[in-house]
Amino acid sequence: MFDPRIEKHLITDQGERVVDEVRKHWAASVSAALELFAGFLVLLTSSVQSPLWWVPAVLGTVIVVHAVWRLFEQHTDRFVVTNMRVFRVHGILSQRIATMPLTRILDISVHKPVIGRIFGYGHFVFESAAQEQGLRHIRYVGDPDGRGLTIQRVIQQAGLRGAAGRPDFTGAPLIPVAQPEPAASVIAVAAPAESHSTAPVPVARTTAPPSGWDWLADAQRREDERLAQLRGEPTPSASPAPAFDPDRTNTAPIDLPR
């Protein structure tokens, strides 16, 4: 009855495990302990010989029972941080459970009063998208700085669970996951439509590069054809030579033997 039994609330088939189980700081039980001490004092007064001895006896019993109830209530109030969520279990006869996924935690505020800084406790205030009141205020948390950093690490780990090489909140590096190489993107660019007609593109011919003396051979051939016409001789059939183009003449200096 007085054991919250945290293990039965874990989703073990999904790999959920407890990262931190936060119990109430002993400062939360100071007022209940003082109340218990006062109840015993009232019970002692009932031992005095008096016709109304039963009044302090009943009153002291009620105070003691209430103080013991408060002590057990503080003992069964647990705040648990797992690798998937945070949840709180509290209650003695009727148990209440409030849970919230790590990805829905927006902000965590830590309030440390003066006495809390002296004795080492603080209060957590969770801001979430759902604003669940059962998990909004977690009071009397021991070592608030260390536990706050632990919760932040777990939240970051939950948000970057698929990243490779990220260190776990326990300090052990994760196994790097092989990422597929991105495929090369091919962008097809449509050719612009031609709005006007263009001149025909000349067909490239594979001919030998002209030399600097081609013009002399053409001139000799034409001279032979003129002489053949004057003599009345048939003109030798030959493929017409291309017209002389002075721009194609090699104007490089001729290296003459000395």
Side-chain angles (χ1 to χ4, degrees), residues 179-196:
Q179 298 292 337
E181 296 183 358
S185 59
V186 179
I187 302 176
V189 180
E194 296 184 359
S195 59
H196 59 279

mmCIF file of all heavy atoms in Angstrom, residues 179-196:
data_model
loop_
_atom_site.group_PDB
_atom_site.id
_atom_site.type_symbol
_atom_site.label_atom_id
_atom_site.label_comp_id
_atom_site.label_asym_id
_atom_site.label_seq_id
_atom_site.Cartn_x
_atom_site.Cartn_y
_atom_site.Cartn_z
ATOM 1 N N GLN A 179 23.930 6.834 -42.729
ATOM 2 C CA GLN A 179 22.967 7.650 -43.445
ATOM 3 C C GLN A 179 23.125 7.407 -44.944
ATOM 4 O O GLN A 179 24.244 7.380 -45.460
ATOM 5 C CB GLN A 179 23.191 9.139 -43.145
ATOM 6 C CG GLN A 179 23.011 9.485 -41.686
ATOM 7 C CD GLN A 179 21.572 9.350 -41.251
ATOM 8 O OE1 GLN A 179 20.679 9.412 -42.088
ATOM 9 N NE2 GLN A 179 21.347 9.169 -39.961
ATOM 10 N N PRO A 180 22.019 7.191 -45.672
ATOM 11 C CA PRO A 180 22.139 6.980 -47.129
ATOM 12 C C PRO A 180 22.611 8.246 -47.814
ATOM 13 O O PRO A 180 22.238 9.359 -47.440
ATOM 14 C CB PRO A 180 20.696 6.620 -47.543
ATOM 15 C CG PRO A 180 19.842 7.223 -46.484
ATOM 16 C CD PRO A 180 20.644 7.154 -45.210
ATOM 17 N N GLU A 181 23.478 8.029 -48.811
ATOM 18 C CA GLU A 181 23.988 9.179 -49.550
ATOM 19 C C GLU A 181 22.882 9.763 -50.410
ATOM 20 O O GLU A 181 22.131 9.043 -51.056
ATOM 21 C CB GLU A 181 25.157 8.743 -50.438
ATOM 22 C CG GLU A 181 26.355 8.239 -49.643
ATOM 23 C CD GLU A 181 27.503 7.896 -50.556
ATOM 24 O OE1 GLU A 181 27.308 8.031 -51.785
ATOM 25 O OE2 GLU A 181 28.572 7.509 -50.055
ATOM 26 N N PRO A 182 22.776 11.078 -50.419
ATOM 27 C CA PRO A 182 21.727 11.693 -51.244
ATOM 28 C C PRO A 182 21.982 11.489 -52.720
ATOM 29 O O PRO A 182 23.124 11.574 -53.178
ATOM 30 C CB PRO A 182 21.805 13.183 -50.849
ATOM 31 C CG PRO A 182 23.192 13.358 -50.347
ATOM 32 C CD PRO A 182 23.590 12.058 -49.700
ATOM 33 N N ALA A 183 20.924 11.176 -53.441
ATOM 34 C CA ALA A 183 21.054 10.977 -54.874
ATOM 35 C C ALA A 183 21.301 12.297 -55.574
ATOM 36 O O ALA A 183 20.826 13.352 -55.164
ATOM 37 C CB ALA A 183 19.776 10.320 -55.426
ATOM 38 N N ALA A 184 22.107 12.214 -56.626
ATOM 39 C CA ALA A 184 22.429 13.437 -57.364
ATOM 40 C C ALA A 184 21.179 13.956 -58.049
ATOM 41 O O ALA A 184 20.473 13.224 -58.736
ATOM 42 C CB ALA A 184 23.520 13.146 -58.398
ATOM 43 N N SER A 185 20.904 15.186 -57.833
ATOM 44 C CA SER A 185 19.709 15.793 -58.411
ATOM 45 C C SER A 185 20.014 16.296 -59.803
ATOM 46 O O SER A 185 21.014 16.979 -60.024
ATOM 47 C CB SER A 185 19.229 16.947 -57.526
ATOM 48 O OG SER A 185 20.238 17.900 -57.400
ATOM 49 N N VAL A 186 19.171 15.929 -60.742
ATOM 50 C CA VAL A 186 19.326 16.342 -62.127
ATOM 51 C C VAL A 186 18.227 17.325 -62.439
ATOM 52 O O VAL A 186 17.049 17.027 -62.274
ATOM 53 C CB VAL A 186 19.257 15.132 -63.082
ATOM 54 C CG1 VAL A 186 19.401 15.586 -64.525
ATOM 55 C CG2 VAL A 186 20.333 14.127 -62.722
ATOM 56 N N ILE A 187 18.595 18.496 -62.828
ATOM 57 C CA ILE A 187 17.631 19.548 -63.135
ATOM 58 C C ILE A 187 17.549 19.667 -64.647
ATOM 59 O O ILE A 187 18.560 19.954 -65.312
ATOM 60 C CB ILE A 187 18.045 20.885 -62.508
ATOM 61 C CG1 ILE A 187 18.186 20.723 -60.991
ATOM 62 C CG2 ILE A 187 17.050 21.973 -62.849
ATOM 63 C CD1 ILE A 187 18.675 21.960 -60.316
ATOM 64 N N ALA A 188 16.386 19.429 -65.174
ATOM 65 C CA ALA A 188 16.189 19.545 -66.627
ATOM 66 C C ALA A 188 15.757 20.953 -66.955
ATOM 67 O O ALA A 188 14.762 21.445 -66.434
ATOM 68 C CB ALA A 188 15.139 18.537 -67.097
ATOM 69 N N VAL A 189 16.506 21.604 -67.781
ATOM 70 C CA VAL A 189 16.207 22.980 -68.182
ATOM 71 C C VAL A 189 15.638 22.937 -69.581
ATOM 72 O O VAL A 189 16.289 22.440 -70.518
ATOM 73 C CB VAL A 189 17.475 23.857 -68.130
ATOM 74 C CG1 VAL A 189 17.139 25.281 -68.550
ATOM 75 C CG2 VAL A 189 18.068 23.817 -66.737
ATOM 76 N N ALA A 190 14.445 23.426 -69.736
ATOM 77 C CA ALA A 190 13.798 23.423 -71.045
ATOM 78 C C ALA A 190 14.440 24.455 -71.942
ATOM 79 O O ALA A 190 14.743 25.573 -71.517
ATOM 80 C CB ALA A 190 12.298 23.698 -70.898
ATOM 81 N N ALA A 191 14.661 24.060 -73.171
ATOM 82 C CA ALA A 191 15.254 24.994 -74.121
ATOM 83 C C ALA A 191 14.239 26.040 -74.499
ATOM 84 O O ALA A 191 13.062 25.750 -74.691
ATOM 85 C CB ALA A 191 15.719 24.236 -75.373
ATOM 86 N N PRO A 192 14.644 27.293 -74.559
ATOM 87 C CA PRO A 192 13.686 28.356 -74.924
ATOM 88 C C PRO A 192 13.196 28.208 -76.350
ATOM 89 O O PRO A 192 13.949 27.816 -77.251
ATOM 90 C CB PRO A 192 14.500 29.639 -74.716
ATOM 91 C CG PRO A 192 15.910 29.220 -74.866
ATOM 92 C CD PRO A 192 15.992 27.825 -74.343
ATOM 93 N N ALA A 193 11.924 28.485 -76.486
ATOM 94 C CA ALA A 193 11.331 28.398 -77.820
ATOM 95 C C ALA A 193 11.894 29.481 -78.710
ATOM 96 O O ALA A 193 12.035 30.638 -78.311
ATOM 97 C CB ALA A 193 9.804 28.512 -77.735
ATOM 98 N N GLU A 194 12.218 29.102 -79.970
ATOM 99 C CA GLU A 194 12.787 30.073 -80.898
ATOM 100 C C GLU A 194 11.664 30.909 -81.487
ATOM 101 O O GLU A 194 10.709 30.403 -82.034
ATOM 102 C CB GLU A 194 13.529 29.338 -82.013
ATOM 103 C CG GLU A 194 14.732 28.534 -81.493
ATOM 104 C CD GLU A 194 15.498 27.891 -82.632
ATOM 105 O OE1 GLU A 194 15.051 28.089 -83.782
ATOM 106 O OE2 GLU A 194 16.505 27.219 -82.373
ATOM 107 N N SER A 195 11.819 32.189 -81.313
ATOM 108 C CA SER A 195 10.796 33.110 -81.822
ATOM 109 C C SER A 195 11.099 33.612 -83.222
ATOM 110 O O SER A 195 10.285 34.264 -83.817
ATOM 111 C CB SER A 195 10.657 34.305 -80.858
ATOM 112 O OG SER A 195 11.907 34.956 -80.743
ATOM 113 N N HIS A 196 12.315 33.354 -83.745
ATOM 114 C CA HIS A 196 12.644 33.821 -85.079
ATOM 115 C C HIS A 196 13.502 32.779 -85.756
ATOM 116 O O HIS A 196 14.145 31.957 -85.109
ATOM 117 C CB HIS A 196 13.375 35.167 -85.019
ATOM 118 C CG HIS A 196 14.640 35.111 -84.223
ATOM 119 N ND1 HIS A 196 14.622 35.193 -82.830
ATOM 120 C CD2 HIS A 196 15.923 34.907 -84.600
ATOM 121 C CE1 HIS A 196 15.855 35.086 -82.393
ATOM 122 N NE2 HIS A 196 16.674 34.909 -83.432
#
